[in-house]
Amino acid sequence: MNNLTHSYLPALTGIRFFAALMVFFHHIPPFTLENSPLFLTKFINELYVGVTMFFILSGFIITYKYLLKEKFDYREYLWKRFTRIYPLYFLLTIFTFVTTAWYFKDFTSKQFFELLMNLTLLKGFFSNYIFTGIPQAWTLTVEECFYLTSPILAFILFKNIYKRIITLTFSIILIGCVIGYLGQILKLDTLLPSFKFLLNFSFFGRIFEFLLGMILAKFYVQQKKFNVRHCTSIGILGIILSIYVLSLIANSPGTGDNHWIGILINNLILPIVGIAPFYWGLLNEKTWIQNFLSAKPLQILGKSSYAFYLIHVSVFQEFIHIRFSSVILLFIMLYLSSILLYYLVENPLKYFLRTVKF
């Protein structure tokens, strides 16, 4: 039986909540250096790896839902991705810039250009714009690059997975380096300005994570069998150990991915030894973790995770944080807001726009 008959995979929806939770605690840690052990503070500081989990998950979902179907309509695919991602981002970005302009009683040409860079999702390519607007939305630039190129990637990758993943990874990193070099020639000094920037914040540097997710989807649909048990447990252990090693590498107050070995762990080792086996276990093993992530409350939290991701560091979050100093209360209020945004704004807008003929 083809696994594509099961289009909805509840455990992978549930895990989105925990990936978003990890990124939240990275940005707004529940502990400070003064009231917690140093190792715990440093460990929590490395929870940005939730982004790595999202990238691999995107590679899997896009391949599973679209690229392995017999009929693939590129226009329809792009429109579905646009209606899923962009409307809520657009509204929250406009809200961010309008609120900031109102608060500071100022809106200069510089801020107008920042707004354009945010609305076009070009900000993620430039070091001076990447954290403007909704700071964490730089990942959407990475995601959109993957959405645009995924059919080509799939065509190349699936001809010979084991050889092509290495070739594709290095080829796309090289393309990024060429673009960065051209930026220097054209005096666009902030366009992919360094190799570390490219590896940490761009599609070119994060390509392996997407390709690995694509391979997982291909194997899952083909019902590929591996003689490995307890993948869920192995994956969780791999994730924890990777985060721990990153915390050892990091120099306070920095993070492990400021070092070359940390980038290697986050972009390559963690996906292979941690996230990939964990996802494979969620897909193929009947465990209490799979059941827990598939439960109704986790489905609601998982579906709302995109809205939560967009507002967890924002003017919206700052407004709530003024009134709720507790990080836990802030988290609860933000997630309740995210659920409302999902059911009242994000989801209705998505379905409305998909009725539009183009």
Side-chain angles (χ1 to χ4, degrees):
M1 182 178 62
N2 192 314
N3 278 322
L4 279 172
T5 56
H6 303 286
S7 59
Y8 184 65
L9 303 168
L12 294 188
T13 297
I15 199 58
R16 287 167 53 191
F17 163 71
F18 284 99
L21 182 65
M22 291 167 72
V23 178
F24 171 80
F25 283 130
H26 162 68
H27 286 136
I28 310 171
F31 310 107
T32 61
L33 192 60
E34 290 77 21
N35 60 19
S36 63
L38 178 59
F39 83 90
L40 184 58
T41 303
K42 293 184 71 174
F43 187 90
I44 290 172
N45 204 31
E46 302 302 320
L47 293 183
Y48 57 82
V49 300
V51 171
T52 308
M53 297 179 71
F54 275 124
F55 287 162
I56 296 174
L57 188 58
S58 288
F60 179 93
I61 294 298
I62 294 303
T63 305
Y64 179 71
K65 288 183 66 175
Y66 300 104
L67 303 179
L68 295 178
K69 298 286 181 69
E70 287 185 6
K71 293 183 179 180
F72 176 75
D73 187 322
Y74 188 59
R75 252 177 63 170
E76 181 186 11
Y77 155 71
L78 288 182
W79 183 241
K80 284 186 175 180
R81 297 322 300 161
F82 176 85
T83 57
R84 168 71 179 86
I85 297 297
Y86 194 75
L88 184 63
Y89 170 72
F90 175 85
L91 292 175
L92 291 175
T93 298
I94 294 294
F95 175 79
T96 298
F97 278 86
V98 169
T99 304
T100 304
W102 173 82
Y103 182 81
F104 290 105
K105 311 295 185 198
D106 187 29
F107 189 71
T108 65
S109 58
K110 178 178 180 291
Q111 276 126 15
F112 177 73
F113 196 70
E114 285 181 357
L115 175 60
L116 288 180
M117 295 296 283
N118 277 264
L119 292 179
T120 57
L121 288 172
L122 292 173
K123 71 168 194 167
F125 294 112
F126 297 88
S127 59
N128 57 331
Y129 293 109
I130 190 168
F131 299 125
T132 59
I134 301 171
Q136 65 277 18
W138 66 266
T139 59
L140 295 188
T141 302
V142 180
E143 292 275 3
E144 295 304 319
C145 287
F146 171 65
Y147 295 158
L148 289 169
T149 60
S150 60
I152 299 172
L153 295 175
F155 177 77
I156 297 171
L157 179 66
F158 296 150
K159 286 184 175 296
N160 190 327
I161 284 174
Y162 297 107
K163 289 183 180 179
R164 297 292 174 89
I165 187 171
I166 298 171
T167 305
L168 266 176
T169 299
F170 283 104
S171 298
I172 291 171
I173 289 174
L174 181 60
I175 291 170
C177 291
V178 170
I179 293 172
Y181 179 69
L182 290 175
Q184 302 303 307
I185 293 176
L186 298 172
K187 305 301 181 185
L188 299 172
D189 296 338
T190 62
L191 173 61
L192 301 176
S194 70
F195 194 47
K196 276 189 178 181
F197 182 94
L198 183 146
L199 292 177
N200 276 323
F201 299 114
S202 79
F203 164 73
F204 307 102
R206 308 303 292 265
I207 181 60
F208 180 79
E209 292 143 80
F210 292 106
L211 295 178
L212 189 58
M214 295 174 75
I215 290 172
L216 285 177
K218 180 73 169 178
F219 285 170
Y220 180 64
V221 169
Q222 291 179 337
Q223 295 187 318
K224 188 109 175 174
K225 300 297 183 183
F226 295 97
N227 191 25
V228 180
R229 297 181 180 180
H230 309 297
C231 282
T232 307
S233 301
I234 291 169
I236 291 173
L237 181 61
I239 292 170
I240 292 172
L241 286 176
S242 297
I243 296 172
Y244 178 66
V245 174
L246 284 168
S247 71
L248 293 178
I249 293 169
N251 292 322
S252 184
T255 54
D257 61 351
N258 286 327
H259 299 264
W260 293 112
I261 186 65
I263 294 173
L264 180 67
I265 292 170
N266 183 58
N267 294 18
L268 184 64
I269 296 174
L270 167 64
I272 293 173
V273 305
I275 300 170
F278 177 56
Y279 285 170
W280 191 254
L282 290 181
L283 290 166
N284 295 285
E285 297 174 349
K286 298 295 183 182
T287 63
W288 69 268
I289 295 175
Q290 185 196 63
N291 291 334
F292 173 68
L293 291 174
S294 302
K296 181 74 172 181
L298 267 295
Q299 298 307 290
I300 295 172
L301 294 173
K303 290 174 181 178
S304 309
S305 62
Y306 176 58
F308 176 78
Y309 181 77
L310 288 180
I311 69 171
H312 83 273
V313 178
S314 63
V315 292
F316 193 74
Q317 165 259 323
E318 290 177 4
F319 177 80
I320 295 177
H321 210 175
I322 292 171
R323 288 152 180 79
F324 298 94
S325 57
S326 165
V327 173
I328 302 303
L329 280 176
L330 172 66
F331 169 75
I332 293 171
M333 293 302 296
L334 283 173
Y335 232 108
L336 288 174
S337 302
S338 302
I339 292 170
L340 290 175
L341 279 172
Y342 174 75
Y343 284 104
L344 299 180
V345 180
E346 179 188 341
N347 214 37
L349 264 179
K350 178 183 75 174
Y351 283 112
F352 170 73
L353 289 171
R354 287 183 182 181
T355 64
V356 176
K357 301 298 181 181
F358 59 93

